């Protein structure tokens, strides 16, 4: 195997948590609010069904091919050439999506704090840090997640706690004014984010305690639902329906904090949460891309393609969208179907083929 | 100005190659070709983006494919 590192199932759950929420807490509340209005607090719960489904599919595929990632077993399932095509789809997909993530990070940082810094510097410095983590291997990413994520979650809950006095729960009334349809439509963006749980297909083969993989992956989905619901509830109670018009509701909430005239303007804490979370998020996607490329081309190791792929990622970040408004429009509409078709539909088709193949083989052996 | 940028891109690509190439095992010919091909791809894409910054990219392609479905959520 190319990757010699081993991680525990709990570390995998800690890595996957920021992989969803890092950009999730910044972009998803306002995208959900645009569709769901006052019922936006329910949208992440609908979206989480996709998360559990993707975890289930990835785990079932993993049970059939315990020591392989999705790039390797797709070749075994559909044959060499179609398998290579599916592998290429995944590699291009992760290259593109990671480019978009780096772009989101750069747009946020340059829009809120570093207004005169050229974006290529912001993209490049973050990608370089992530490149060091990826070069270090799976264990390094897992350890940094273990170190940072408790801090991220604590700081996030601290912000919500400081805001508690300003929350107006009446903002959510009347509940279900137009039935549950708006909340389901608002779940489209969270569902697309939850489908990123397919990344566990790249981590499951390297677990030390494989039997706990499913349990911890589901716990990770639950923790993401918890944080996303808290985010949406806070944004809703604080801003009401104007959440849809805010670019970064959580950032605006951080500016709103005012406790005892001492804790004011906590946006730098939001920034710290965001940078730590995004670091893990980009690293996990970057790792999947690098490992997948090495397995797709059957290389002897993956370390030497980290830097060239990082260069490509920075280029894709600049190439991925002309400006932030168009990027956000894309994320709210076509990207939902893009993410779902690659991360949910394609693996389900693979799983279906595996199950049918096994059935046919069983039948034949009975007849013989 | 653009020529200076091309010079910078070339230096960056050369630095990556200069750092990574000696580390690859001499017997692994394939690894070497992959590294050179990836670096060449990045160099070409960087220069293209420098001259045509508004070149339609992967996002436009995906947007074209999924537009009929994406309209449902507008």
């Amino acid at each position: 195997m190319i990757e010699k590192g081993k991680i525990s199932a709990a570390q995998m759950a800690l890595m996957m948590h920021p992989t969803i929420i890092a950009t999730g807490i910044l972009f998803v509340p306002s995208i959900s609010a645009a569709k769901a209005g006052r019922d936006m607090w329910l949208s992440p719960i609908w979206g989480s069904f996709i998360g559990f489904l993707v975890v289930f599919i990835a785990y079932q595929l993993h049970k059939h091919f315990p020591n392989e990632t999705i790039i390797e077993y797709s070749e075994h399932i559909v044959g060499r050439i179609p398998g290579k095509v599916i592998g290429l789809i995944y590699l291009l997909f992760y290259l593109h999506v990671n480019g978009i993530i780096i772009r989101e990070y750069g747009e946020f940082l340059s829009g809120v704090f570093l207004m005169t810094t050229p974006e290529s510097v912001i993209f490049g410095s973050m990608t370089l840090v992530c490149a060091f983590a990826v070069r270090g291997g799976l264990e390094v990413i897992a350890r940094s997640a273990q170190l940072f994520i408790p801090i991220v979650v604590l700081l996030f809950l601290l912000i919500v706690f400081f805001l508690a006095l300003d929350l107006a729960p009446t903002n959510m009334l009347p509940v279900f004014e137009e039935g549950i349809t708006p909340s389901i439509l608002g779940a489209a963006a969270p569902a697309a984010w939850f489908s990123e749980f397919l990344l566990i297909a790249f981590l499951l083969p390297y677990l030390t305690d494989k039997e706990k993989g499913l349990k911890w992956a589901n716990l990770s989905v639950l923790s993401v639902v918890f944080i996303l619901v808290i985010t949406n509830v806070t944004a809703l109670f604080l801003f009401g329906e104007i959440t849809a018009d805010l670019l970064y509701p959580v950032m605006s909430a951080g500016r709103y904090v005012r406790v005892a005239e001492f804790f004011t303007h906590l946006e730098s804490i939001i920034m710290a949460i965001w940078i730590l979370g995004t670091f893990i998020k980009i690293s996990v996607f970057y790792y999947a891309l690098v490992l997948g490329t090495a397995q797709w081309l059957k290389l002897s190791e993956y370390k030497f393609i980290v830097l060239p792929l990082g260069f490509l990622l920075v280029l894709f970040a600049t190439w991925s969208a002309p400006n932030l408004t168009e990027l956000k429009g894309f994320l709210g509409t076509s990207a939902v179907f893009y993410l779902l078709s690659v991360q949910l539909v394609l693996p389900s088709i693979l799983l279906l083929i595996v199950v049918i193949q096994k059935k046919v083989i069983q039948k034949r052996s009975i007849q013989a | 100005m653009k020529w200076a940028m091309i010079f910078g891109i070339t230096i960056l690509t050369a630095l990556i190659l200069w750092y990574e190439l000696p580390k690859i095992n001499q017997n692994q010919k394939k690894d070497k070709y992959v590294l050179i091909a990836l670096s060449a791809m990045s160099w070409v894409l960087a220069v293209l983006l420098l001259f045509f910054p508004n070149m339609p990219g992967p996002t436009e392609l995906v947007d074209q494919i999924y537009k009929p479905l994406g309209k449902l959520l507008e």
Side-chain angles (χ1 to χ4, degrees):
Chain A
M1 263 195 279
I2 296 180
E3 173 63 61
K4 289 174 187 75
K6 285 274 176 195
I7 56 171
S8 69
Q11 281 176 321
M12 178 187 78
L14 276 175
M15 278 163 83
M16 290 313 297
H17 179 80
T19 303
I20 316 302
I21 64 150
T23 48
I25 55 170
L26 276 166
F27 284 89
V28 172
S30 79
I31 298 177
S32 291
K35 285 275 166 291
R38 279 185 299 271
D39 297 333
M40 63 188 268
W41 56 274
L42 200 59
S43 296
I45 298 173
W46 295 125
S48 72
F49 291 128
I50 300 285
F52 290 117
L53 190 61
V54 169
V55 164
F56 173 77
I57 291 168
Y59 191 75
Q60 289 302 319
L61 280 168
H62 165 71
K63 262 180 30 191
H64 288 287
F65 304 93
N67 293 318
E68 294 181 359
T69 67
I70 191 158
I71 304 283
E72 291 170 306
Y73 57 64
S74 60
E75 265 181 63
H76 293 167
I77 294 171
V78 289
R80 188 148 177 271
I81 303 290
K84 287 276 182 210
V85 173
I86 292 181
L88 186 65
I89 291 176
Y90 276 108
L91 296 181
L92 290 176
F93 173 78
Y94 282 124
L95 186 64
H96 181 207
V97 170
N98 208 356
I100 291 179
I101 297 164
I102 297 174
R103 180 59 177 262
E104 288 166 359
Y105 163 79
E107 288 285 350
F108 180 64
L109 207 60
S110 69
V112 179
F113 275 101
L114 306 172
M115 283 159 194
T116 49
T117 313
E119 282 199 324
S120 49
V121 174
I122 302 176
F123 298 155
S125 50
M126 189 53 160
T127 314
L128 191 64
V129 178
C130 295
F132 291 141
V134 175
R135 254 189 97 91
L138 189 56
E139 285 176 353
V140 173
I141 307 174
R143 288 276 172 195
S144 33
Q146 214 174 355
L147 192 67
F148 293 150
I149 299 319
I151 305 175
V152 167
V153 173
L154 270 181
L155 285 177
F156 180 77
L157 294 177
L158 189 75
I159 295 273
V160 175
F161 177 72
F162 279 157
L163 284 168
L165 285 176
D166 295 310
L167 298 181
T170 44
N171 276 346
M172 74 187 277
L173 298 173
V175 181
F176 302 139
E177 193 188 7
E178 291 159 47
I180 56 167
T181 327
S183 69
I184 292 178
L185 277 179
W193 254 260
F194 273 110
S195 71
E196 287 170 359
F197 263 100
L198 185 71
L199 280 166
I200 63 167
F202 288 89
L203 307 177
L204 283 171
Y206 307 114
L207 294 189
T208 46
D209 40 358
K210 294 196 177 189
E211 67 287 349
K212 288 186 193 154
L214 185 63
K215 190 185 94 186
W216 279 102
N218 280 330
L219 279 176
S220 189
V221 180
L222 270 183
S223 71
V224 172
V225 180
F226 177 67
I227 295 283
L228 281 184
V229 169
I230 287 192
T231 314
N232 281 3
V233 165
T234 315
L236 179 65
F237 285 2
L238 203 57
F239 300 116
E241 281 187 82
I242 58 161
T243 312
D245 303 321
L246 299 169
L247 194 50
Y248 307 114
V250 176
M251 198 66 192
S252 312
R255 291 210 170 106
Y256 206 88
V257 172
R258 197 188 190 99
V259 176
E261 298 292 317
F262 182 70
F263 292 109
T264 55
H265 283 281
L266 295 183
E267 62 253 45
S268 50
I269 291 189
I270 303 272
M271 206 57 176
I273 296 175
W274 168 243
I275 290 180
L276 289 176
T278 323
F279 163 68
I280 305 291
K281 173 158 189 159
I282 297 174
S283 298
V284 172
F285 272 85
Y286 195 169
Y287 175 78
L289 173 66
V290 167
L291 185 73
T293 311
Q295 288 173 337
W296 192 68
L297 294 165
K298 300 218 163 36
L299 303 177
S300 59
E301 60 163 347
Y302 64 84
K303 288 205 164 112
F304 63 90
I305 50 170
V306 171
L307 286 176
L309 280 176
F311 193 11
L312 264 184
L313 280 176
V314 174
L315 294 174
F316 266 76
T318 25
W319 201 19
S320 59
N323 54 50
L324 183 61
T325 327
E326 282 194 29
L327 182 63
K328 209 176 172 191
F330 172 69
L331 288 174
T333 55
S334 310
V336 173
F337 297 100
Y338 176 44
L339 292 168
L340 284 179
S341 59
V342 178
Q343 299 186 113
L344 177 68
V345 178
L346 200 50
S348 338
I349 294 173
L350 285 178
L351 182 61
L352 202 68
I353 295 175
V354 175
V355 172
I356 292 172
Q357 274 174 349
K358 294 260 151 134
K359 282 260 161 70
V360 170
I361 291 170
Q362 266 179 0
K363 246 188 192 165
R364 272 191 199 149
S365 59
I366 290 168
Q367 281 169 354
Chain B
M1 188 57 204
K2 283 200 171 155
W3 294 106
M5 300 267 273
I6 292 184
F7 184 69
I9 294 166
T10 314
I11 295 278
L12 192 62
T13 319
L15 275 177
I16 293 175
L17 283 175
W18 177 69
Y19 180 72
E20 297 286 4
L21 265 183
K23 293 194 171 177
I24 297 177
N25 192 334
Q26 287 304 310
N27 303 323
Q28 298 287 350
K29 279 241 162 72
K30 194 188 192 179
D31 291 13
K32 222 180 246 180
Y33 296 145
V34 168
L35 175 59
I36 292 171
L38 277 176
S39 309
M41 264 163 63
S42 324
W43 189 86
V44 170
L45 184 58
V47 172
L48 275 178
L49 282 175
L50 192 63
F51 283 99
F52 311 102
N54 293 321
M55 189 168 53
T59 310
E60 276 84 0
L61 177 72
V62 170
D63 207 29
Q64 281 298 322
I65 297 173
Y66 290 95
K67 201 154 233 167
L69 286 168
K71 282 227 169 76
L72 296 175
L73 288 174
E74 259 165 23

